Amino acid sequence: MTPAATRAGSLLGAPVLREPGHAPVVHLVRGGVIEGVHHGSVVVLGADGEVRFRLGDAEAAFYPRSALKPLQAVAMLRAGLPLDGDLLSLAAASHSGEERHLDGTRRILDLAGLAEAELRNTPDMPYDRVVRDSWVREGRGPSRLAQNCSGKHAAMLWTAKLNGWSLDDYLDPAHPLQRAVAETVEDLTGQRIAHVTVDGCGAPLFAVSLHGLARALARITTAAPGTPEARVADAMREHAEMASGVRRDVAALMRAVPGLLAKDGFEGVQVAALPDGRAIAVKIADGADRARVPVAAAALAHAGIDPALLTEFAGAPLLGGGRPVGAVRTVPALDLAS
């Protein structure tokens, strides 16, 4: 593991902590009238790493939320975690709580010789609405396995155990595991972390810039075969449903665009990158998924993806009396023609 001090000269400074200068990105158009507006920020990088398109504020510090998970998975592989395939995809997942996800987390714990009780993530119901409704009908309650970050937490525990690090406090930002994650986040984003807080699952959460997040995913998708970065990208692309779920838009997006690596995050975050280094990152100010998906599709079109591959992600209809009377549309500034 490369000490942060040896990379200090190559790192940009931490992004500024400020109110982001978000811009309108989505219009809710009902009956020809703009009924509502979602604000956000977008950045698109070319294969050379240069910014090809931006809207809003891509340089302010923000929380990537679960879009940070591929970076966390890279950090664990660098620290010796021996996972690949579906279980590595699960280690980078915000999963839906399907049985495959629960079974996969159990498999990671079994391989590590650990128990579910050693997980420190917050108990929750499954994220997928269909699965959650089934749990309610069956009288099942929140569990650590069902919480969408359980695969990551099981992998974190195993990484700590492999290195002889303590297990009870593996979520402490000062823990060797979390220090290793922070070093990897700085390495891949190319900038210093602006702030550290606690994510919804209890793990440390690092503030970077939207630009830095896009740069990090490009680093992951362009890495040489067999490296930790390439192993994470391969696992998530080959097992997209394990990294999310069968009904999730992020899995559908990876299936629709050959070679695409994509990860969503709570509060309207989306990052995606192609094997040649083209990358996009999106933050929706109010966290709305109905805005995140079409804005991500528009950003990918700016990155050179054939818009025909993105049609199903262009925006949901607005209904009136059970029939379409409008649509969720990206603003003209995001149109390729503009």
Side-chain angles (χ1 to χ4, degrees):
M1 193 181 310
T2 305
T6 66
R7 294 180 282 102
S10 63
L11 289 178
L12 299 173
V16 177
L17 294 167
R18 65 179 181 228
E19 180 178 354
H22 293 307
V25 290
V26 162
H27 289 159
L28 310 179
V29 182
R30 181 182 295 272
V33 174
I34 296 176
E35 181 180 32
V37 180
H38 290 289
H39 290 70
S41 295
V42 183
V43 64
V44 178
L45 304 183
D48 59 359
E50 295 297 317
V51 174
R52 295 294 181 235
F53 176 86
R54 73 169 82 224
L55 184 64
D57 190 348
E59 306 302 339
F62 91 117
Y63 293 128
R65 301 300 300 269
S66 287
L68 200 66
K69 285 177 178 174
L71 285 67
Q72 292 169 315
V74 168
M76 288 187 276
L77 293 186
R78 289 180 176 182
L81 181 68
L83 283 180
D84 283 293
D86 62 332
L87 294 185
L88 177 54
S89 184
L90 182 61
S94 300
H95 66 68
S96 291
E98 301 161 21
E99 283 304 318
R100 76 175 81 192
H101 302 129
L102 276 62
D103 289 343
T105 301
R106 293 188 190 100
R107 285 163 57 199
I108 295 173
L109 290 170
D110 287 345
L111 287 167
L114 297 166
E116 179 183 348
E118 293 175 275
L119 293 170
R120 293 291 181 267
N121 58 317
T122 307
D124 201 356
M125 299 289 281
Y127 179 77
D128 184 274
R129 182 177 299 177
V130 174
V131 179
R132 184 169 63 249
D133 288 349
S134 175
W135 275 50
V136 171
R137 287 193 300 271
E138 296 167 8
R140 300 170 73 176
S143 81
R144 297 188 192 277
L145 282 181
Q147 196 269 337
N148 77 90
C149 305
S150 64
K152 177 184 79 175
H153 281 255
M156 283 184 167
L157 276 170
W158 194 5
T159 305
K161 183 177 180 180
L162 287 167
N163 285 276
W165 299 331
S166 57
L167 301 185
D168 289 346
D169 61 343
Y170 75 95
L171 296 181
D172 189 325
H175 191 280
L177 170 66
Q178 302 304 338
R179 292 204 306 270
V181 171
E183 289 182 6
T184 296
V185 169
E186 290 191 333
D187 175 35
L188 294 178
T189 62
Q191 63 186 173
R192 295 193 179 280
I193 291 166
H195 192 65
V196 182
T197 188
V198 182
D199 210 340
C201 66
L205 177 62
F206 306 106
V208 295
S209 70
L210 199 64
H211 188 175
L213 181 65
R215 190 162 47 228
L217 212 69
R219 287 276 307 277
I220 290 173
T221 58
T222 59
T227 60
E229 294 90 334
R231 287 165 59 191
V232 170
D234 289 344
M236 293 180 69
R237 287 186 296 226
E238 292 169 14
H239 303 276
E241 287 78 12
M242 195 61 119
S244 52
V246 295
R247 282 173 283 272
R248 297 278 288 283
D249 58 73
V250 69
L253 190 61
M254 284 195 278
R255 290 194 298 267
V257 181
L260 186 72
L261 174 63
K263 184 70 187 76
D264 54 348
F266 282 158
E267 299 302 328
V269 181
Q270 179 77 61
V271 64
L274 290 153
D276 64 2
R278 287 176 289 164
I280 65 106
V282 170
K283 164 64 181 173
I284 304 301
D286 62 2
D289 282 339
R290 68 177 177 180
R292 171 184 58 83
V293 177
V295 172
L300 286 168
H302 276 278
I305 301 300
D306 182 355
L309 299 176
L310 304 167
T311 303
E312 67 176 291
F313 310 101
L318 295 180
L319 303 180
R323 61 185 180 84
V325 295
V328 177
R329 297 177 185 167
T330 53
V331 298
L334 276 166
D335 292 343
L336 273 178
S338 67

